[in-house]
Amino acid sequence: MSSVSMTVNGKSVTGEVEDRTLLSTFLREDLHLTGTHIGCDTSQCGACTVHVNGKAVKGCTMLALEAEGADVRTIEGMANDDGSLGVIQAAFQEHHGLQCGFCTPGMVMAADELLKNNSNPSETEIRKYLSGNICRCTGYHNIIKSIQAAAAQLG
Amino acid sequence: MPKDNGIGASPKRREDVRFLTGRGRYVDDIKLQNQCFAVFARSQVAHGIIKSIDTSEAEGMPGVLAVFTGEDFTEVGGNPAGWLIHSRDGEPMKEPKRPVLAHGKVRHVGDAYAAVIAETYEQAVEAAEAIDADIDEQDAIVDMAAALANSDNLVHDEIETNQCFDWGWIEDNRAATDEAIKNAPHVTTLELINNRLIPNAMEPRASTADYNPGTGHYTLYTTSQNPHLTRLLISAFVMGIPENKLTIIAPDVGGGFGSKIFHYGEEALVLAASKKLGRPVRWTASRWESFLTDAHGRDHRTTIELATDKEGNFLAFRTSTLANVGAYLSNFSTVTPTILHGTVIAGNYTVPLTYVNVKAVFTNTAPVDAYRGAGRPEATFSVERVIDKCARELGIDPIEIRRKNFIKKEQFPFLTAAGLEYDSGDYHALMDKLEEMADFDGFEARKAESAKRGLLRGLGINTYVEACGLAPSNLAGILGSRVGLYESATVRVNATGNISVMTGSHSHGQGHETVFPQIVADMLGMSADDIDIVHGDTSKIPFGMGTYGSRSMAVGGSAIVRATEKIIEKATKIAAHMMEAGDGDIEFNDGVFSVVGTDKTVTFPEVAFKAYIPHDYPIDKLEPGLEETAFYDPGNFTYPSGAYACEVEIDPDTGKVTICSFSAADDVGNVINPMIVEGQIQGGLGQGIGQALVENCVYDENGQLLSGSYMDYTMPRADDMPFFNVDQSCLTPCTHNPLGAKGCGEAGAIGSPPTVINAVVDALSHLGVTHVDMPASPARVWAAIQAAK
C-alpha cells in the first residue's frame, strides 16, 4: 500500500492505495464519491469520466497513484457554490438529457470539457466528441439538445 | 391547459437533481459495514462435463472466507420459467433445472461453477483464479438447426432433446392458412434473421445481500426491474426463504431493457453466502460478465410467407421460426418467442388468416429472454419486411399496400386473425401524419441530389402495433403464465396533507417519480410537489409485478388512479360529516369539498387532518386515517401503434449506411407527460436503429462469444444517430383503463428496425437486392451490392 494525496473538488485528500488501484476505484471506494460510475472494463463507456488537472479523463484509465498531487474534479463538484445546478447540469434537466442517470456524470464531465475548448460546437462536433461516452437510454437526441442549449447559454 | 405539474404537463424530472450531482444511489454505491466480496469462477468453455473442482488452494489464500460450488446448492430449487408453453401435440415444454451454480455440466461460456467470498474484491478475484476445475470439454451446440438435428449431443441430457417446445398459434387455423397460401394468386416468401442482441444497460448487474443472524431476516439490494417478482422467485422456487424474512431493495437502477426483469443465480449466491458468514456480501458484475451472462435478446431465424391476391389484399401470413433460448430457460424466455410474438403477427391488418410456428432450441449460449419489445419486434420485423417485398413484387406502393389492408378506425374493437382484440387505433391517421412529417413528395429530388454525390438514397416506411401493458391475469393464466399481471398502489395521505404513493412499478430511467405524482395531483387538486413516490422496496410496498412490457403507466398508473379514487370516496364521507351534509350532497373539485347549493367548503388538507385527529368524526361508520390500496388488473392488453419513415444514404464503395432522417408518428394513447413520452420513443428508436445497423452478438462454432466487450460489440454512439422527428398527436385512448394510456417504452425499438432495413433495401433494390440481414453493417451491405452485380 502506498500513500496518495490529491485535491478532489477543491478539498485536499489523502489515502492508502494498492499500486493497482484505479483512480475511479479510489474515488468510489475510498472517498465515497459514488457519482463516478464504472460501466465497463475496457475504458470505453465513459461513465467514469472525471477531470484531472482540467482535462476530461476516464477514471478507469489512470492509477490512483498517477493522480498524486493532481487537481481532480468529479460530478459531485459540478454544482454551483450555492448547491444549485451548474449550467450544463441544468440544461440536461431542462432538456430531458438523462433517463436512468448512469452515464450522466460522464456525459456532463465530457460536455464540460467540450464547451471549454469549443464554445459553439456544431451538432456533428458534439456527436463526434461523445464517441467515448455511451448512453443506452436516450438515443442521444436529448443529450445533444442539452449540450447545444448549454453552449448557447454559456456563449 | 394542463396545470404546471398535472396530467399533460412536462415538469422537469425531480430525480434528475440527484443523478446530475452524483447523489444517485445504485446498488454498487451501497457499502455496508463489515461487507465482503463475491467473485465467480466462470466456464471458459461452452459445453463441458465437470469432473472435479478443487477449491483447496483458493480456500487457503489470503482473505478468503468461503468458497461455494454447485455441490452446495443441490438441495435448493431451480430458477423457473415464468410461463408454461405447450407444444402443438399438447406436451408441456421441456424444463431442465437451472441451478444457482453449474452442477455436473457447464452449458455456456460464463456459466458460473464456483464462487469465492473474500475480505476484498482483489483477494476474491485472485482466489477465483486459483480454483482448479477439471472440465471435460464437449462439442458445443451453437447452431439451432444443427441442435435440432443432432440428438446425440445435448445441452441437457435429462430431457433427451435440444428442443424446448414446438408451438403453433393458432393451431386451429393451421390447415386453413396452409390452404389459403396454396391457392393464393401470389405468395411472397422471405427468410430472415432477427439478430441476437446483448442488452447492455449501462449499469452492470449487482447484488448485495445482508443477512441478520439476530432476526433471521435477509435484505437483498439488487439491480431489478421488479423486486417483488424477484422475491417471489427466490422464496417460492429457488431458496425457500419465507417472503416475510426477505426484503428486496432495487434502489436507483441504471437501465434494464428487460435484462433486469429476471432472477439470476448471483442473487441466490450472495444470499446464501451472507447467511453462512453472517456478514454482508457484495457482488458487482464486470462488463465482461454482463456480456457473457445477462440474458440476451431476439435471436430468431424465420421464414415468413405472405399470400395476397393480385391487388395486394392480404390473404394469409404464415411463419416458421427457430428461436434460441440459450443454455437455460430464463424467466420470460418461453413467453417471449410465443405469446408476445405470435399474437401480434397480424400486425395492423385485417388479414383473415395467420399461423405461427415456433420451435425453441437449447444451445450452449447465454440464456435468451425478453429485451425491449420482447417478441413484438421480431413479429413486426418479419411482417413488415415481407410486406415491403410483396409490394415490390406486385408493383404496388409500399404505403398503399399497407393502407389497403389496415384495420379501419370504425372497425375497432377488432378481433385479429391472431386472436387479440385491439381496442382502439387509427392507422390511417398515423400514416397521414407520417406523410406530412416525412415529406415523401420531396424524396425523388433528395434521391437525385444524393446520386450527384455518388450515394444511393432509400426511403423505408413501416407500421407497427404491439400488445403491451401486460396483462389481464386471467388471460395470461390461460396462455400459460404462472403469475398474475396486475399492479398495486397504496396512496398514503399524511396527517399534514402531503402524500406518499407506494407503487409496485419500478423506475430505472422512466421517470416515475415525476410522472406518477402528476396523476394524483390532478385528481386531488394539489401540487405534485407535495406528492412523493416510493418504489423498489418490498418492505414498503404491498406487492408489485414491476416494470416491463410498457406496463408502468397503463397498469401501475391505473392502480394509482384506483387507489386515489378510494381516497376521494373516503374523504368525501369525512367532508360530509365536517359540513353536516349527506355524502351525496358533496362535490369535490380542484382540492375543495363543497356542499352542493351552499357556500360551505372544506379543503382536502383539512379533511386529511381530520382523518388523523378524529375527535369529531363519524367513528361509527369510518375508520380514522386516510390510506388506500388498490390492485389493478387490466381488462385487456393495450395496443400502441405507429407509422415510421426513414431515409438512408449508402456509399456503394464502402457499404456504409447513414441515416439522413427518421420520422415517427406514435399512438401511445393518452399522454401524461409529453417530455417523458418523447424521451422514451427516442430511446427506443436509438436501440432499434442500433439493432438494424450496428449491434450483433456473435458466437463462434465453439460457443465462444466473439462480441464480448465494447471493442467487439458495437454500441450505438452519438454519431450513429440522427435527430428524431417524433409526433404524438394522433392519439386514440385505450378504452379499458382509467387513464386511456397505452404505453410508450418499447414502441421505438419495435417499429424502427424494419423501417431502417426497408430503407436500405429500397436504396439497393434497383440492383436486385431484396433483403439485407441486420445489422446492415458496411461489410454486409457492400457484400450485398457485390453479389447483386
Side-chain angles (χ1 to χ4, degrees), chain A residues 136, chain B residues 298 371-372 683-693 695 721 748-754 756 774:
Chain A
R136 193 51 148 172
Chain B
R298 316 284 192 257
Y371 168 69
R372 199 170 195 167
L685 293 176
Q687 270 174 293
I689 291 170
Q691 172 172 24
L693 290 184
E695 292 183 45
M721 293 293 147
I750 292 168
S752 56
V756 174
M774 300 188 288

Side-chain angles (χ1 to χ4, degrees), chain B residues 293-415:
Chain B
T293 68
D294 287 4
H296 294 177
R298 316 284 192 257
D299 206 354
H300 284 197
R301 286 176 176 267
T302 293
T303 301
I304 182 164
E305 294 155 288
L306 166 56
T308 64
D309 63 19
K310 297 282 186 206
E311 288 72 46
N313 293 302
F314 299 165
L315 304 176
F317 286 104
R318 181 171 64 188
T319 73
S320 172
T321 291
L322 294 183
N324 201 338
V325 291
Y328 301 102
L329 293 183
S330 178
N331 303 133
F332 282 15
S333 62
T334 54
V335 67
T336 297
T338 54
I339 305 300
L340 297 179
H341 167 235
T343 59
V344 292
I345 208 72
N348 308 54
Y349 309 108
T350 55
V351 58
L353 286 165
T354 62
Y355 179 75
V356 172
N357 175 237
V358 179
K359 294 184 175 74
V361 188
F362 289 106
T363 59
N364 292 122
T365 64
V368 181
D369 205 324
Y371 168 69
R372 199 170 195 167
R376 290 146 292 162
E378 294 90 320
T380 304
F381 188 71
S382 300
V383 166
E384 295 294 323
R385 282 291 303 123
V386 80
I387 289 173
D388 243 45
K389 186 167 184 239
C390 172
R392 218 172 287 285
E393 288 173 358
L394 293 175
I396 301 175
D397 180 87
I399 298 170
E400 281 318 304
I401 199 168
R402 288 176 168 88
R403 283 186 179 278
K404 187 189 281 272
N405 289 282
F406 276 160
I407 301 162
K408 294 182 181 66
K409 186 182 179 186
E410 57 273 18
Q411 289 177 284
F412 291 95
F414 186 86
L415 180 64

Side-chain angles (χ1 to χ4, degrees), chain A residues 48-141:
Chain A
C48 65
T49 304
V50 296
H51 293 175
V52 178
N53 296 327
K55 284 194 155 47
V57 170
K58 290 179 180 175
C60 72
T61 60
M62 247 182 114
L63 298 169
L65 288 172
E66 288 181 284
E68 172 67 33
D71 183 18
V72 175
R73 194 148 73 126
T74 71
I75 189 68
E76 288 89 347
M78 293 297 285
N80 297 322
D81 290 344
D82 65 358
S84 61
L85 296 180
V87 170
I88 295 171
Q89 292 168 311
F92 269 73
Q93 186 185 27
E94 182 71 31
H95 296 274
H96 191 25
L98 63 152
Q99 291 183 21
C100 82
F102 197 80
C103 76
T104 307
M107 288 288 177
V108 170
M109 302 311 284
D112 187 80
E113 173 169 83
L114 167 66
L115 297 183
K116 281 205 178 85
N117 297 331
N118 181 353
S119 62
N120 186 25
S122 68
E123 179 197 337
T124 302
E125 285 173 328
I126 298 171
R127 290 187 184 275
K128 295 277 183 210
Y129 192 84
L130 293 181
S131 65
N133 292 80
I134 303 175
C135 169
R136 193 51 148 172
C137 293
T138 62
Y140 300 99
H141 183 105

Side-chain angles (χ1 to χ4, degrees), chain A residues 20 28-29 34 39 41 44 75 89 93 96 98-102 123 127 131 136-137 140-142, chain B residues 13 20 26 28-29 31 122 126 199 202 282 287-288 679 682-683 695 710-711 716-718 721 724:
Chain A
R20 61 183 169 181
R28 288 181 53 78
E29 301 296 326
T34 54
D41 42 20
Q44 285 170 317
I75 189 68
Q89 292 168 311
Q93 186 185 27
H96 191 25
L98 63 152
Q99 291 183 21
C100 82
F102 197 80
E123 179 197 337
R127 290 187 184 275
S131 65
R136 193 51 148 172
C137 293
Y140 300 99
H141 183 105
N142 284 340
Chain B
R13 295 203 324 169
L20 283 161
Y26 302 85
D28 189 61
D29 300 341
K31 297 169 183 57
E122 291 78 8
E126 284 163 7
M202 293 317 298
R282 179 177 163 196
R287 179 57 62 182
W288 65 267
Q682 291 161 357
E695 292 183 45
Y710 287 142
M711 291 183 285
R717 312 280 170 139
M721 293 293 147
F724 306 116

